[in-house]
Amino acid sequence: MTQIEISKNSQAQEGASQPRNGVSPADEGYAYFEGRIVPMSEAKVSVATHALQYGTACFEGIRGYWNEQQQQLYVLKMREHYERMAASWNVLHMHPKESIDDLCRITTELLRKQELRQNTYIRPLTYKSSCTIRLTLQELEDAVAIYAFPMGNYVDISGGLRVCTSSWRRANSNAMPVRAKVTGAYVNSSLAVDDAKTAGFDEAIMLTDDGTVSEGSSCNLFILRNGKFSTPAVSEDILEGITRNALIEMIGREFGMEVEERRIDRTELYAANEIFFCGTGVQVSPVISVDHRPIGSGQPGPFTMKLQSLYLSACRGEHERYRHWVTPVWFQQS
Ligand code: PMP
C-alpha cells in the first residue's frame, strides 16, 4: 500500500508513492502559532501542556487540490471543516480568540506564505494550552495552531484495499464525543488500524458496541448492494464526515440515487456488490475484500471508480456545479 507522501521537493501527484522518511512536516515551512505565522521550528509547546497530557485538543484535516491547468490551489470544504472544529470547541469548552472567518483567512495566508502549488494537506488544531495537571476543561487557555505540507494520496486509491473488521469497537458516544474530532479519542483508531496492518490488512472497519458497522479507522464507509447505496447512520457512532456528506450530494446529483443512512450489519459487508471508504485523507477508496472475502468481483467496483473520478475532478475545481465546495488560494488570473 502507498504510504503517506510528505515531501517539500517532490510534486505530490496522484498515485505517486514516497516513503514517509522524507521531510517531515515538522522540519520546514511555517505554522500559525500563538496568533502569528512563524517558522515551523518555532511552533513548540511545553511538555506540561494540558492537551499533551490528556488529549484535550481537537483537530481537522483539510486538503488543498492543485489544478495544473488553472495554476490554482483549491481548498476543499474549508469553512465546513472550521465549522466542525467549532462544534468540537463546544464539546471541550473551548473559547479560542479566532473566529471561523479568521481561520479561513489565516489558512489562505499560510498557504500563500508557503508558496504551495501542489496537492496539500492542512492540519488545524485547537488545544488546551495551559500547563497544569488539573483535569477539568473549563478555565483553561485555548490556542489554535495550523500547519500545512505537500501531500499526495494517503492510501492507494486505485488498486483497492483489503480490510478486516476490528476487534476494537468504535468508542461509544456515551464514552467519547464521537461527533467531535478530539485528539485523545484517536487512540481508538490507532489501536484498530495498527492491529489491522500487523495482521497484513490495509485498513480496519470498526463496529459499534452493538456490533453493527460504524466506520473505518479515520474514514466513513458506503456499500452498494442490490442497486442501493447505504452508509451507517449518524447514530452509529460515526464521525460525521464532510466527504460523506459531499458524496451523498454527488450520488444524488450524478446517479439520481438516494443514499440510505441506516444500520448496517457486519455480514451485509460480505454480501455487498461494492464497498468504499471516504474521507479527506482516503478520498474515495475502493475496498476489494473484507475479512478475506472478496467484495463483488474482488476488483474496485465500477460505481466506486466513477464516483472517485467525479469527486477528484470536483476537488480540483473542474466542475462548475461543485464550485461551492472549493476555495481558490491564488488570485484569479484575468
Ligand atoms: N471518521 C474518522 C474517525 C475520521 O478521522 C475522519 C477523517 N476526518 C472521517 C471519518 C472522515 O471525515 P472527513 O470526510 O470529514 O474527512
Side-chain angles (χ1 to χ4, degrees):
M1 197 173 77
T2 312
Q3 296 191 31
I4 304 175
E5 175 197 321
I6 302 168
S7 166
K8 286 292 282 182
N9 303 322
S10 73
Q11 283 289 322
Q13 302 284 348
E14 250 126 49
S17 165
Q18 291 274 323
R20 206 204 154 140
N21 58 9
V23 179
S24 91
D27 289 329
E28 54 182 277
Y30 294 88
Y32 175 77
F33 182 69
E34 295 182 343
R36 289 183 309 130
I37 292 180
V38 298
M40 193 69 183
S41 57
E42 290 176 22
K44 300 257 161 72
V45 298
S46 160
V47 73
T49 306
H50 196 276
L52 184 59
Q53 299 283 333
Y54 300 124
T56 49
C58 58
F59 69 106
E60 283 296 323
I62 311 177
R63 269 188 189 270
Y65 285 85
W66 176 244
N67 183 317
E68 181 67 30
Q69 204 189 359
Q70 297 174 22
Q71 293 289 296
Q72 184 58 271
L73 181 64
Y74 285 110
V75 183
L76 180 64
K77 300 262 178 191
M78 179 156 67
R79 174 162 283 276
E80 285 84 343
H81 280 282
Y82 284 121
E83 282 169 355
R84 186 171 65 187
M85 192 154 89
S88 299
W89 294 343
N90 198 34
V91 174
L92 293 178
H93 290 296
M94 285 178 157
H95 305 281
K97 62 179 189 328
E98 296 85 351
S99 66
I100 292 174
D101 281 340
D102 292 338
L103 294 176
C104 291
R105 185 179 41 73
I106 293 162
T107 301
T108 309
E109 252 174 62
L110 182 68
L111 297 172
R112 287 186 188 147
K113 173 90 180 164
Q114 300 215 148
E115 301 266 355
L116 282 159
R117 294 177 186 275
Q118 62 217 97
N119 290 339
T120 295
Y121 187 81
I122 304 149
R123 169 52 58 88
L125 180 78
T126 313
Y127 59 102
K128 295 275 167 198
S129 57
S130 299
C131 293
T132 173
I133 58 162
R134 195 153 50 89
L135 264 173
T136 52
L137 294 169
Q138 296 178 67
E139 288 158 36
L140 298 180
E141 280 171 23
D142 306 308
V144 174
I146 310 173
Y147 62 95
F149 53 91
M151 190 178 91
N153 292 334
Y154 185 70
V155 297
D156 176 2
I157 62 169
S158 52
L161 303 175
R162 293 179 173 80
V163 312
C164 61
T165 47
S166 181
S167 61
W168 293 100
R169 294 293 166 101
R170 169 85 176 151
N172 170 292
S173 191
N174 289 313
M176 267 292 172
V178 294
R179 238 158 234 95
K181 240 175 118 58
V182 175
T183 56
Y186 275 75
V187 168
N188 188 220
S189 298
S190 296
L191 288 166
V193 74
D194 187 71
D195 268 11
K197 294 210 176 214
T198 305
F201 296 99
D202 296 319
E203 237 301 5
I205 293 176
M206 301 182 76
L207 305 178
T208 64
D209 248 358
D210 289 344
T212 54
V213 175
S214 181
E215 61 178 8
S217 66
S218 59
C219 46
N220 295 114
L221 172 148
F222 283 63
I223 66 171
L224 176 65
R225 198 180 159 210
N226 302 328
K228 282 188 184 154
F229 280 103
S230 310
T231 189
V234 294
S235 49
E236 296 294 288
D237 292 332
I238 63 167
L239 179 79
E240 295 174 10
I242 288 164
T243 319
R244 174 184 179 277
N245 286 344
L247 293 177
I248 290 173
E249 177 190 343
M250 192 169 241
I251 289 168
R253 282 179 152 202
E254 306 297 332
F255 301 154
M257 290 160 80
E258 208 166 300
V259 177
E260 288 183 341
E261 299 180 58
R262 62 175 178 87
R263 282 173 79 116
I264 296 178
D265 285 339
R266 173 184 182 159
T267 53
E268 280 188 81
L269 298 173
Y270 306 150
N273 306 108
E274 295 187 28
I275 300 180
F276 61 87
F277 284 129
C278 70
T280 302
V282 302
Q283 305 173 101
V284 176
S285 294
V287 170
I288 54 172
S289 73
V290 179
D291 299 335
H292 299 292
R293 288 152 180 93
I295 301 306
S297 65
Q299 298 294 320
F303 277 95
T304 301
M305 295 317 275
K306 174 82 187 142
L307 192 62
Q308 181 193 87
S309 148
L310 284 164
Y311 173 76
L312 292 176
S313 61
C315 294
R316 287 189 295 262
E318 291 165 3
H319 275 300
E320 207 47 54
R321 73 186 340 191
Y322 299 106
R323 263 302 160 84
H324 60 288
W325 288 13
V326 295
T327 308
V329 169
W330 298 104
F331 301 103
Q332 303 280 13
Q333 280 153 11
S334 52

